[in-house]
């Protein structure tokens, strides 16, 4: 009997159908000499500190550096404690029974680092020694699974992938557990969560937010001229930008006296705009966020659903290329897509012998190739699934189309001693942009110009001084943040270092969405319109750790490249683990040395008038055990800021708080006042 272990029940059902296993049992499907079972994600993971005997958060116990790492069934939180997940225990028992009874195992978990880790942790936890082979596929279509089963790979081929996954798992455990406990012990006012990737990502968001909100815009002035020739109206702009409005107006008066401008230079060049490469997961998430406002997590979830329904290839890919042996399949995929009315005209325009082959690159294909559609056109899918599917389908067409050729004209002119210029672009050959022009409204604005040459005199139809202002860097949207995480080197201010760490990112294509979601769940960041902004809690954590090693984007990016080196057997896993332990020891000491500088230290308890108050996440309380004064920070749906608390205690009244919500769900505005008995109440504006 052969056991096939898939990652999810849905995938197991597809494989069972193909191998002839039809009898459904508790936790598996049996038949034709096969038992097909599933893992339901991470059934086994690294044990928590309490499993090693470390109860609670204690300064003297840190850093916690296990000599060997225990594997235990997945745990779930019940109250304040973690307990084994009954569902995980039940499925592990099924897998254990099957593993003991089988001759060999076929690993069919997702073909990637985490999928490999899921299987190996189960295999190790169950002390299994049965031989195993690997089903390595990039699509769940019947053809792909059949070919994969006929070409199973040796399990040992993926030892490097497991080593990389195991290293990542241990590194995240060491850094996350020790840093979180160390900061919690130091601050003694709340439970904090820090992480190897989440904290540098929080730093990116907070730094950009503070730069944006503290930005002081500067006004400047630029002169715009309007011209007309051969019935075409176009504009030019002064090369000089004046900070002094008066000087700009003086220049405008001089220019208005002159009704003509002389062309001093006309430069025309042809620009070749290559077709875009296929989507990898991050690029798909960025585009979906820009066009549809989908979060990175939502896009991944939709893409995963399309993959499991066999309409696209494996979505958790970090490559934008395909291998040479897959190229022959591309015309067939386009033929399938052309059955959709959106693409029916494309085959006529795309001469099959002229397909652009730039997406073929064996060297740049990672675990999986770039995102492709499959030989099945979708049916009965949701609107969101349709949006993502056609985004991928459109990109497949674009990527194999010819380049777009544009003609760019740059014109310089003078009026008195003032220089003006403008640029114009016209399309010579649409190439791949013809696909985008038909399928979206993403085409750029093109300016057609009359015939212009050096020495020509242009009439000035109108002249105005435009008031403009400098702008801050925009707040991070998910799309911009994903780019920053993917290209961490660009966030490093030292230019000499940027070239050294080029192409190094923090997190991976498969994990960046979950990092953003973790920060949202921790209440460190929130969504505001399309932007990601830090909460008061997030900013507090950032201020505490911004200069600490735990926030270093560069260091985190280097760890990510180390995992790749481990996978390729270029770095010894234990040498790397010792480096992570040294790093953990250093950050733990750094965080334990933080002296709590509570923002309310200057405030005394209003009741006993002797002791300082302690600011916690949900309450403000007196440090004297015998004094029972306490103030809950959340009032009618609004959390009191430090300024609100200061006003209340020093002036016995906050500023007017807007948008409070009553128990009946009605919104109201009120002051919170401190009464004579030291309890709080409301005061309304009209009183």
């Amino acid at each position: 009997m052969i056991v096939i272990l898939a990652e999810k029940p849905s995938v197991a059902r597809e494989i069972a159908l193909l191998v002839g296993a039809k009898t459904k049992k508790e936790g598996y499907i049996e038949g034709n000499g096969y038992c097909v079972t599933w893992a339901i994600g991470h059934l086994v993971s690294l044990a928590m500190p309490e499993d090693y005997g470390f109860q609670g958060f204690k300064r003297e116990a840190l850093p916690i550096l296990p000599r060997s790492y225990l594997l235990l069934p997945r745990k779930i939180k019940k109250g304040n404690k973690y307990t084994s997940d009954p569902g995980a225990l039940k499925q592990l028992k099924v897998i254990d029974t099957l593993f003991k009874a089988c001759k060999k195992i076929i690993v069919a978990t997702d073909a990637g680092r985490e999928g490999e880790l899921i299987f190996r942790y189960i295999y190790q936890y169950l002390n299994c020694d049965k031989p195993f082979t690997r089903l390595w596929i990039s699509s769940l279509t019947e053809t792909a699974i059949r070919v994969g089963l006929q070409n199973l790979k040796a399990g040992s081929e993926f030892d490097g992938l497991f080593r990389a996954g195991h290293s990542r798992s241990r590194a995240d455990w060491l850094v996350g557990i020790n840093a979180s406990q160390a900061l919690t012990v130091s601050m003694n006012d709340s439970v904090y969560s820090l992480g190897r990737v989440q904290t540098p990502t929080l730093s990116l968001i907070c730094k950009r937010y503070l730069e944006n909100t503290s930005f002081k815009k500067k006004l400047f002035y630029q002169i715009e001229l309007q011209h007309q020739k051969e019935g075409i109206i176009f504009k030019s702009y002064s090369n000089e930008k004046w900070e002094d409005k008066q000087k700009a107006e003086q220049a405008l008066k001089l220019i208005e006296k002159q009704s003509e401008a002389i062309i001093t230079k006309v430069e025309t060049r042809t620009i070749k705009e290559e077709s875009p490469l296929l989507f990898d997961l991050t690029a798909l998430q960025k585009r979906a966020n820009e066009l549809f406002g989908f979060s990175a997590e939502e896009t991944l979830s939709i893409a995963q659903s399309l993959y499991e329904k066999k309409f696209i290839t494996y979505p958790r890919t970090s490559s934008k290329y395909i291998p040479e042996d897959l190229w022959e399949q591309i015309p067939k995929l386009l033929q399938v897509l052309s059955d959709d009315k959106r693409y029916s005209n494309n085959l006529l325009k795309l001469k099959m012998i002229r397909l652009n082959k730039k997406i073929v690159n064996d060297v740049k294909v990672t675990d999986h190739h770039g995102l492709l559609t499959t030989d099945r056109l979708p049916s009965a899918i949701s609107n969101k699934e349709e949006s993502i599917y056609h985004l991928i389908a459109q990109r497949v067409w674009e990527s194999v189309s010819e380049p777009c050729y544009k003609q760019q004209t740059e014109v310089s002119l003078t009026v008195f001693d003032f220089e003006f210029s403008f640029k114009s672009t016209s399309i010579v050959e649409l190439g791949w942009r013809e696909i985008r022009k038909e399928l979206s409204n993403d085409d750029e604005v093109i300016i057609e110009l009359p015939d212009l040459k050096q020495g020509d005199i242009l009439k000035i139809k109108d002249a105005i001084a435009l008031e403009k202002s400098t702008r801050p860097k925009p707040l991070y949207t998910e799309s911009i943040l994903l780019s920053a995480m993917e290209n961490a080197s660009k966030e490093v201010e030292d230019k000499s270092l940027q070239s050294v760490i080029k192409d190094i990112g923090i997190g991976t294509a498969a994990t960046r969405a979950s990092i953003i979601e973790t920060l949202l769940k921790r209440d460190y960041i929130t969504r505001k319109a399309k932007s990601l902004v830090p909460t008061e809690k997030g900013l507090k954590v950032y201020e505490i750790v911004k200069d600490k090693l735990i926030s270093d984007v560069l260091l985190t990016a280097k760890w990510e490249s180390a995992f790749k080196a481990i996978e390729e057997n270029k770095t010894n896993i234990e040498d790397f683990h010792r480096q992570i332990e040294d790093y953990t020891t250093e950050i733990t000491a750094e965080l334990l040395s933080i002296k709590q500088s509570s923002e309310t230290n200057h405030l005394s308890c209003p009741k006993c008038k002797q002791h300082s108050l302690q600011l916690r996440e949900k309450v403000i309380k007196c440090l004297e055990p015998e004094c029972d004064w306490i103030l809950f920070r959340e009032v009618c749906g609004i959390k009191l800021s430090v300024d609100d608390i200061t006003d209340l205690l020093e002036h016995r009244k906050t500023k007017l708080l807007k948008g409070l919500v009553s128990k009946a769900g009605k919104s109201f505005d009120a002051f919170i006042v401190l009464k004579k008995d030291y309890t709080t109440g409301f005061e309304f504006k009209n009183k």
Side-chain angles (χ1 to χ4, degrees):
M1 186 256 286
I2 297 171
V3 170
I4 301 177
L5 178 69
E7 193 162 318
K8 292 181 180 176
S10 58
V11 178
R13 285 193 291 271
E14 296 292 343
I15 296 172
L17 202 63
L18 285 176
V19 298
K22 296 176 181 176
T23 308
K24 292 181 182 178
K25 296 288 184 79
E26 189 72 41
Y28 67 101
I29 307 166
E30 187 179 34
N32 198 26
Y34 290 94
C35 284
V36 187
T37 187
W38 49 85
I40 327 173
H42 285 271
L43 285 180
V44 173
S45 54
L46 297 179
M48 298 304 286
E50 53 268 28
D51 299 312
Y52 297 96
F54 296 100
Q55 298 296 329
F57 294 9
K58 295 175 182 173
R59 180 181 290 267
E60 59 274 15
L62 298 173
I64 301 167
L65 307 171
R67 287 186 181 179
S68 61
Y69 287 78
L70 299 174
L71 291 173
L72 289 177
R74 181 171 63 219
K75 292 190 174 187
I76 52 173
K77 196 169 187 179
K78 280 193 175 180
N80 292 325
K81 291 187 176 182
Y82 284 91
T83 181
S84 295
D85 178 353
L89 290 173
K90 186 178 177 183
Q91 190 60 17
L92 273 171
K93 193 172 181 181
V94 170
I95 296 169
D96 187 26
T97 303
L98 294 175
F99 276 8
K100 283 173 179 170
C102 74
K103 288 182 179 177
K104 66 175 184 177
I105 301 162
I106 296 174
V107 186
T109 49
D110 281 358
R113 193 166 77 184
E114 290 310 299
E116 192 65 28
L117 192 66
I118 285 169
F119 163 68
R120 299 288 185 113
Y121 274 4
I122 292 170
Y123 188 79
Q124 287 184 5
Y125 174 72
L126 297 176
N127 288 315
C128 187
D129 59 1
K130 297 290 172 72
F132 61 89
T133 50
R134 192 60 158 103
L135 175 69
W136 192 266
I137 52 176
S138 289
S139 164
L140 287 177
T141 60
E142 185 177 325
T143 305
I145 295 171
R146 281 195 192 283
V147 171
L149 287 169
Q150 287 163 11
N151 296 277
L152 293 169
K153 298 178 182 291
S156 57
E157 280 188 40
F158 303 94
D159 288 350
L161 199 62
F162 166 61
R163 285 195 300 269
H166 185 43
S167 296
R168 193 275 312 151
S169 183
R170 291 197 299 183
D172 285 350
W173 192 100
L174 282 169
V175 175
I177 294 288
N178 285 290
S180 300
Q181 291 203 13
L183 186 58
T184 300
V185 166
S186 270
M187 298 304 292
N188 192 32
D189 61 0
S190 185
V191 176
Y192 292 87
S193 169
L194 301 179
R196 184 183 60 84
V197 183
Q198 78 173 49
T199 305
T201 304
L202 175 64
S203 293
L204 288 176
I205 296 167
C206 290
K207 188 179 177 188
R208 176 63 62 88
Y209 173 78
L210 293 170
E211 283 173 359
N212 181 283
T213 51
S214 63
F215 183 83
K216 290 183 172 56
K217 67 178 183 180
K218 291 181 181 177
L219 293 177
F220 66 90
Y221 302 86
Q222 192 175 20
I223 295 174
E224 174 190 279
L225 303 181
Q226 194 178 91
H227 312 283
Q228 185 170 2
K229 187 179 181 184
E230 299 170 13
I232 299 173
I233 294 173
F234 51 99
K235 295 172 181 177
S236 65
Y237 298 88
S238 61
N239 292 356
E240 189 170 352
K241 295 170 183 175
W242 291 269
E243 289 183 11
D244 188 323
K245 186 178 181 180
Q246 200 171 356
K247 287 182 180 178
E249 287 172 343
Q250 287 170 357
L252 181 63
K253 284 177 184 175
L254 287 171
I255 289 163
E256 284 174 330
K257 289 176 183 176
Q258 185 76 13
S259 59
E260 296 174 337
I262 300 169
I263 294 179
T264 56
K265 186 173 72 173
V266 179
E267 274 185 0
T268 300
R269 62 195 179 103
T270 300
I271 297 169
K272 180 183 179 183
E273 189 182 32
E274 290 285 3
S275 58
L277 293 167
L278 296 170
F279 281 126
D280 63 4
L281 176 58
T282 301
L284 177 68
Q285 288 168 321
K286 284 157 61 176
R287 191 86 177 124
N289 183 249
E290 290 160 9
L291 292 181
F292 315 126
F294 293 172
S295 71
E297 182 77 11
E298 189 175 15
T299 299
L300 174 55
S301 175
I302 295 166
Q304 184 69 22
S305 173
L306 288 169
Y307 167 67
E308 290 174 16
K309 290 175 180 175
K310 309 180 190 179
F311 298 134
I312 65 167
T313 57
Y314 188 63
R316 287 176 165 85
T317 177
S318 56
S319 178
K320 299 179 180 181
Y321 296 87
I322 61 169
E324 180 72 48
D325 61 10
L326 198 56
W327 176 248
E328 64 182 34
Q329 300 293 323
I330 298 300
K332 296 173 190 173
L333 296 183
L334 298 179
Q335 188 74 53
V336 171
L337 283 172
S338 67
D339 288 341
D340 185 304
K341 61 184 180 183
R342 307 173 198 228
Y343 311 106
S344 54
N345 293 327
N346 291 354
L347 274 182
L348 301 173
K349 295 170 185 172
L350 256 185
K351 294 176 185 173
M352 300 307 277
I353 54 168
R354 290 186 62 203
L355 287 184
N356 188 343
K357 208 175 172 182
K358 64 174 281 193
I359 58 172
V360 175
N361 190 322
D362 285 317
V363 177
K364 292 190 177 180
V365 174
T366 52
D367 293 342
H368 295 277
H369 54 68
L371 267 166
L372 293 172
T373 51
T374 65
D375 58 6
R376 290 169 58 123
L377 272 180
S379 57
I381 58 174
S382 69
N383 290 338
K384 287 186 175 182
E385 284 177 326
E386 197 167 320
S387 297
I388 294 297
Y389 176 82
H390 287 294
L391 206 54
I392 295 165
Q394 179 182 319
R395 180 55 65 91
V396 173
W397 281 105
E398 290 172 357
S399 69
V400 296
S401 300
E402 291 293 297
C404 169
Y405 288 92
K406 299 177 182 179
Q407 195 172 72
Q408 191 177 78
T409 302
E410 197 168 337
V411 181
S412 300
L413 43 141
T414 59
V415 183
F416 287 122
D417 293 330
F418 300 108
E419 293 183 352
F420 288 77
S421 61
F422 63 93
K423 287 180 184 177
S424 166
T425 303
S426 60
I427 297 283
V428 180
E429 285 181 43
L430 270 169
W432 68 270
R433 281 201 166 268
E434 189 162 3
I435 306 286
R436 188 166 292 190
K437 183 183 178 187
E438 285 187 5
L439 300 177
S440 74
N441 298 316
D442 192 46
D443 219 22
E444 56 189 275
V445 178
I446 303 298
I447 305 169
E448 295 293 339
L449 285 177
D451 183 42
L452 299 173
K453 57 184 184 293
Q454 190 174 335
D456 280 0
I457 293 175
L458 289 177
K459 294 285 182 189
I460 299 174
K461 197 166 179 287
D462 193 19
I464 55 172
L466 302 172
E467 183 179 277
K468 298 184 177 182
S469 65
T470 54
R471 292 181 181 180
K473 287 181 180 177
L475 294 170
Y476 279 123
T477 59
E478 288 207 30
S479 176
I480 303 170
L481 179 61
L482 286 167
S483 288
M485 294 173 77
E486 188 177 28
N487 304 293
S489 62
K490 292 179 182 175
E491 303 303 317
V492 177
E493 291 174 7
D494 187 336
K495 299 292 180 189
S496 63
L497 274 174
Q498 283 188 0
S499 58
V500 178
I501 61 162
K502 189 176 180 292
D503 299 328
I504 291 180
I506 60 174
T508 64
T511 61
R512 288 179 190 125
S514 65
I515 292 298
I516 295 169
E517 291 302 314
T518 296
L519 291 172
L520 287 160
K521 284 173 192 164
R522 305 271 188 231
D523 191 31
Y524 285 170
I525 63 171
T526 187
R527 289 191 175 97
K528 196 172 182 181
K530 289 185 177 180
S531 300
L532 294 171
V533 297
T535 60
E536 184 184 337
K537 183 179 180 181
L539 281 170
K540 181 182 177 183
V541 171
Y542 170 69
E543 287 300 331
I544 296 166
V545 302
K546 64 181 178 182
D547 300 321
K548 306 290 185 284
L549 279 169
I550 187 74
S551 294
D552 193 334
V553 173
L554 172 57
L555 206 53
T556 307
K558 283 182 175 177
W559 292 148
E560 210 58 61
S561 63
F563 298 141
K564 192 69 187 166
I566 288 167
E567 183 183 331
E568 294 167 357
N569 214 22
K570 293 175 183 174
T571 295
N572 180 281
I573 184 171
E574 292 310 323
D575 288 346
F576 172 74
H577 187 62
R578 279 189 287 274
Q579 288 177 37
I580 288 284
E581 284 191 334
D582 291 344
Y583 168 72
T584 301
T585 302
E586 199 171 345
I587 60 166
T588 303
E590 215 176 30
L591 293 168
L592 285 174
S593 67
I594 291 171
K595 295 285 187 289
Q596 183 183 7
S597 54
S598 171
E599 294 133 313
T600 55
N601 273 350
H602 63 291
L603 296 173
S604 296
C605 173
K607 187 177 180 183
C608 70
K609 297 182 173 55
Q610 292 179 11
H611 295 91
S612 296
L613 296 173
Q614 186 180 58
L615 174 69
R616 294 198 171 192
E617 191 59 38
K618 296 181 179 178
V619 298
I620 309 294
K621 62 182 293 185
C622 181
L623 287 172
E624 170 53 50
E626 291 180 11
C627 178
D628 60 354
W629 192 82
I630 190 168
L631 171 69
F632 289 95
R633 292 189 68 180
E634 187 156 319
V635 181
C636 295
I638 285 184
K639 186 175 179 180
L640 299 180
S641 69
V642 174
D643 288 342
D644 293 331
I645 294 158
T646 303
D647 287 342
L648 181 66
L649 296 172
E650 290 186 347
H651 310 298
R652 304 188 80 87
K653 183 177 179 179
T654 67
K655 64 180 184 297
L656 185 68
L657 299 178
K658 295 185 176 182
L660 294 157
V661 180
S662 71
K663 288 180 181 178
K666 292 183 178 179
S667 180
F668 67 98
D669 303 338
F671 303 94
I672 294 178
V673 294
L674 189 64
K675 299 178 185 177
K676 289 181 180 178
D677 62 356
Y678 309 112
T679 60
T680 55
F682 294 118
E683 183 181 296
F684 299 96
K685 198 174 181 182
N686 58 356
K687 293 182 181 178

